[in-house]
Amino acid sequence: LLQALGLRLPRPSHALGALLVIPALAKGAHSLLEWQSEVLPLPPGAAEGGVELEAIMGSSSPMWLFFFFALSPGIFEELVFRGALLGAMRRDFTWKRIVFWQALYFALVHASIYRLLPTGILGGLLALIALRSRSVLPAMVLHIGYNALLILGNAGHLTFTSEPWFEYAPWAAIPGVALFLIPPRPGPPDRAG
């Protein structure tokens, strides 16, 4: 079951790479949502539904917000999408098709035309990370960190996201991506034959 869900220890470089990509991904999603709101603005009645969520986010403790909006979805969505579903797709599909279908399914399950593009990009990126690391754990780390940065930053619980130095945090994605590109060390020589 653990192997079927992709629950194996990743290389430390993959876990660190996932952590380093989080600020760039959160900043990119924020910019993409701003652009998308100009192209496809929310209808007048839809903005009022967000008032309830903002009230919950503003009145909740950071720990509850982290648990319900970052930790829980990061673990369970990754077990379903990058664990079970990706594992089943791996048998029959090429990596390109897996990434495409993972992006599409992930975006559609979130059921919001207004978040379709950023959620699809996130789903595809998480699939690439799970495929490259051969583990769902780096994708979980990235998903949890991404959700935490967006939710807690928007609720005002993470004040460093408004600091001037945070503008440079997305540059950490360069070494983060590089850590995923490092080829694995060769294994022990094959003694067969």
Side-chain angles (χ1 to χ4, degrees):
L1 180 64
L2 293 177
Q3 189 158 346
L5 292 177
L7 288 169
R8 62 181 68 87
L9 283 178
R11 291 174 41 193
S13 62
H14 290 157
L16 180 59
L19 283 171
L20 291 172
V21 170
I22 292 168
L25 190 59
K27 192 156 189 65
H30 184 70
S31 298
L32 190 59
L33 283 169
E34 285 180 352
W35 171 81
Q36 186 174 305
S37 68
E38 291 176 16
V39 175
L40 182 66
L42 284 169
E48 289 146 15
V51 173
E52 295 167 4
L53 182 59
E54 288 178 16
I56 291 170
M57 288 174 55
S59 65
S60 297
S61 76
M63 290 304 287
W64 283 113
L65 287 174
F66 177 75
F67 180 78
F68 285 113
F69 293 107
L71 186 67
S72 296
I75 291 172
F76 295 114
E77 288 177 6
E78 291 311 307
L79 286 175
V80 170
F81 285 96
R82 263 58 68 186
L85 188 59
L86 187 137
M89 294 171 122
R90 185 179 263 162
R91 286 180 255 146
D92 298 324
F93 295 161
T94 64
W95 70 269
K96 291 177 185 177
R97 288 186 69 193
I98 291 172
V99 170
F100 170 78
W101 286 109
Q102 285 276 311
L104 183 63
Y105 291 156
F106 196 65
L108 291 175
V109 163
H110 282 80
S112 172
I113 188 84
Y114 303 103
R115 292 184 347 187
L116 190 70
L117 190 57
T119 309
I121 291 170
L122 177 64
L125 179 66
L126 292 168
L128 276 171
I129 287 172
L131 286 168
R132 177 67 179 156
S133 66
R134 298 188 178 275
S135 172
V136 73
L137 297 177
M140 269 186 203
V141 166
L142 179 60
H143 195 157
I144 292 167
Y146 168 81
N147 284 357
L149 203 55
L150 288 181
I151 296 295
L152 295 174
N154 287 338
H157 295 295
L158 292 179
T159 56
F160 68 84
T161 58
S162 61
E163 293 291 326
W165 65 266
F166 191 72
E167 291 293 319
Y168 300 101
W171 286 99
I174 294 171
V177 169
L179 288 171
F180 278 99
L181 299 177
I182 297 172
R185 285 183 280 179
D190 186 13
R191 296 182 185 225

